[in-house]
Amino acid sequence: RSRSYVIYFTHENMTNKKILVINCGSSSLKYQLFLMPEGLNLIKGIIEKIGAKDSFIKQEIKDGKKFEKKTEIKDHKAAFKQVVQAILDKEYGLLSSIDEINAVGHRVVHGGEKYSASVVIDKTVINDIEECSDLAPLHNPPNIEGIKSAMETFPNAIHTATFDTSFHQTLPEYAYMYALPYELYEKFKIRRYGFHGTSHRYVMSKALDFCKRAKENTNLITCHLGNGCSITSIAAGRSIDTSMGLTPLEGLIMGTRSGDLDPAIIGYLVDKGYEIKDIINILNKKSGMLGISGVSNDLRDIEKGAKEGNKRCQIAIDAFAYRVKKYIGSYCAVMVKCDILVFTGGIGENSVVMRERICKNLQSIGIHLDPDRNKLVGNHLGVVSTDFSRVTILVVPTNEEERIARDSYDLA
Ligand code: AMP
């Protein structure tokens, strides 16, 4: 009797919870409200140009009602005031009190070596995130500012943090250690951390559910190909290698980021008169698909350019696909066998041609793409491999916010 009572009581307490997911950048604040445990998205909003005169807020609720307001928003605290007004707005909002929000899930970029899972935020967690700011100077400080402002704005909610790095904390030492003097790891914690962890974890779960497979006996390679790109190999539900490193600059060719290169290039450019800060700026903002093509960081523009005969656009596409292909090959080599290959992110979900290029001539490692399925899948969850392909190839739309909401709900 007592057990059934507990189950009943728990169930009562855990339904119809509203979770607000926050993603704070230096000048932007993205927010989404979820109804849990269904994972139903109720509200989606964004504030941009925080700190500028022409800041604005845009919000859409689940019945499609949209509103947009231009107003000067000087800092994150002021931004949260706008969020509250928008959520409570009689015509364009959905809630009648902010106390209806049970938990707030914050996206945090860097959790260092301390966090291998999402956590409830307290003073220690805030201090730890502050300590990791050295490793993510552009991301962690605005994340902390967002957390502090949100805690003041929603004092009765539980606040949780989900880290981009935490899924990759299972990497073995030989996969995360750079071949540098060991004291650089000891002194400065220089090692591979990996990013996009929330996305890789989300698509892994969706892929396992879809294929009706248990994580314990399944190996996956997940390719998150968007403006930022990373690829992860997963065995028994644990990330065992990933392409991004100490920072999100390493690995695949991205929209504007170089990915892997010979580190000696940096010294060579210094000798040619470049300053380090300019080189870092080039590697992050002027390289990748934009750097090679000279046209755009957006694959759609580059595909158009290539069709019109622009040679550099064609090289950018070929180089992008070639790098992903090489990583898939190397990740197959570090697993006993790969069972599922997942494509996600703006490019992975939408570009039929890029998936085709990447999978071309990978039959020797069991990857057989079905050209018709690849065209027909749209940007929905579905199989794009042939029936006889040893590796099941899937397109899985990612949803990092839903994953954060689920973590926050579980913790709350
Ligand atoms: P994300 O960062 O995941 O939002 O991905 C953004 C990128 O996805 C864009 O920069 C485009 O390069 C790419 N993308 C989105 N839709 C398409 C499409 N239909 N075809 C090719 N690339 C696309």
Side-chain angles (χ1 to χ4, degrees):
R1 266 182 73 208
S2 72
R3 178 177 292 184
S4 64
Y5 173 75
V6 169
I7 290 168
Y8 169 75
F9 187 73
T10 311
H11 177 74
E12 272 292 283
N13 276 334
M14 293 305 285
T15 54
N16 286 327
K17 296 287 177 194
K18 294 193 182 90
I19 312 283
L20 184 66
V21 174
I22 300 290
N23 184 352
C24 254
S26 56
S27 63
S28 70
L29 191 171
K30 292 183 199 144
Y31 61 98
Q32 289 194 31
L33 186 72
F34 286 89
L35 182 70
M36 301 304 285
E38 297 87 338
L40 182 68
N41 187 274
L42 301 175
I43 296 180
K44 210 175 197 170
I46 183 164
I47 294 179
E48 284 189 80
K49 299 195 173 179
I50 296 172
K53 287 231 169 337
D54 52 347
S55 357
F56 62 88
I57 175 167
K58 277 188 200 170
Q59 178 176 283
E60 185 172 355
I61 58 177
K62 79 169 187 331
D63 67 2
K65 251 193 206 166
K66 285 182 195 173
F67 103 99
E68 189 172 342
K69 185 169 91 179
K70 281 194 181 136
T71 174
E72 191 179 344
I73 301 172
K74 67 175 193 324
D75 54 22
H76 284 85
K77 214 169 149 195
F80 274 104
K81 281 206 178 115
Q82 294 292 331
V83 172
V84 170
Q85 273 179 23
I87 290 176
L88 299 183
D89 190 275
K90 290 219 160 42
E91 195 178 347
Y92 295 104
L94 270 183
L95 304 189
S96 48
S97 157
I98 53 164
D99 289 336
E100 285 180 52
I101 296 169
N102 304 97
V104 182
H106 296 265
R107 177 193 177 204
V108 179
V109 167
H110 221 302
E113 287 188 317
K114 280 224 168 94
Y115 294 103
S116 54
S118 303
V119 284
V120 173
I121 301 173
D122 58 14
K123 271 197 182 137
T124 317
V125 174
I126 293 179
N127 286 344
D128 289 343
I129 299 170
E130 260 161 5
E131 261 177 37
C132 291
S133 286
D134 259 7
L135 294 167
L138 298 180
H139 296 102
N140 274 25
N143 292 161
I144 296 165
E145 215 173 312
I147 290 171
K148 287 181 176 166
S149 305
M151 284 177 128
E152 279 178 37
T153 313
F154 307 102
N156 298 327
I158 294 166
H159 291 256
T160 64
T162 296
F163 304 91
D164 278 19
T165 48
S166 59
F167 182 54
H168 303 300
Q169 277 299 299
T170 46
L171 254 60
E173 279 172 330
Y174 54 77
Y176 73 65
M177 197 60 71
Y178 290 117
L180 292 167
Y182 195 79
E183 59 265 27
L184 293 182
Y185 167 64
E186 289 176 318
K187 259 197 206 160
F188 305 121
K189 292 284 169 226
I190 294 178
R191 52 159 284 181
R192 176 183 309 285
Y193 289 95
F195 297 86
H196 286 148
T198 318
S199 173
H200 289 291
R201 190 156 64 95
Y202 177 85
V203 298
M204 169 194 75
S205 300
K206 285 275 166 192
L208 290 171
D209 286 350
F210 184 80
C211 295
K212 296 190 173 55
R213 288 191 63 128
K215 67 176 179 193
E216 288 73 18
N217 60 2
T218 308
N219 291 337
L220 302 97
I221 295 175
T222 50
C223 308
H224 178 113
L225 310 177
N227 204 22
C229 301
S230 68
I231 176 165
T232 295
S233 55
I234 302 170
R238 294 156 69 87
S239 168
I240 58 163
D241 204 353
T242 191
S243 59
M244 283 178 169
L246 173 77
T247 75
L249 185 55
E250 193 183 347
L252 302 174
I253 293 175
M254 309 180 212
T256 61
R257 281 172 257 170
S258 64
D260 297 338
L261 45 78
D262 180 347
I265 292 171
I266 295 168
Y268 187 78
L269 285 176
V270 169
D271 288 346
K272 295 284 174 202
Y274 283 78
E275 289 197 21
I276 285 287
K277 68 171 181 8
D278 297 330
I279 299 171
I280 300 300
N281 191 41
I282 289 173
L283 296 179
N284 276 297
K285 306 232 167 97
K286 296 182 180 167
S287 300
M289 301 284 268
L290 171 68
I292 300 178
S293 72
V295 167
S296 168
N297 62 319
D298 192 309
L299 180 62
R300 287 164 288 198
D301 301 333
I302 299 169
E303 279 179 350
K304 187 165 164 272
K307 259 194 204 136
E308 288 163 2
N310 183 323
K311 187 167 169 267
R312 279 172 58 182
C313 285
Q314 191 56 53
I315 300 172
I317 293 168
D318 292 343
F320 181 95
Y322 181 69
R323 181 84 54 92
V324 179
K325 193 192 271 281
K326 279 210 289 190
Y327 265 93
I328 292 175
S330 63
Y331 284 177
C332 278
V334 298
M335 290 172 154
V336 180
K337 81 184 215 307
C338 175
D339 304 297
I340 304 173
L341 173 68
V342 176
F343 285 105
T344 192
I347 295 172
E349 291 164 29
N350 293 293
S351 179
V352 172
V353 186
M354 191 52 86
R355 288 195 299 262
E356 215 168 71
R357 273 204 187 84
I358 292 168
C359 294
K360 198 172 167 198
N361 296 334
L362 288 183
Q363 292 87 342
S364 63
I365 51 173
I367 293 171
H368 296 258
L369 188 82
D370 183 309
D372 295 329
R373 285 179 181 167
N374 186 38
K375 278 192 197 106
L376 289 173
V377 72
N379 55 357
H380 303 293
L381 173 61
V383 178
V384 292
S385 46
T386 61
D387 288 337
F388 54 80
S389 180
R390 187 157 48 74
V391 179
T392 304
I393 313 170
L394 295 181
V395 171
V396 182
T398 193
N399 191 338
E400 288 158 284
E401 290 77 16
E402 187 191 323
R403 185 62 262 172
I404 296 172
R406 289 202 179 282
D407 283 4
S408 193
Y409 169 76
D410 289 346
L411 287 164

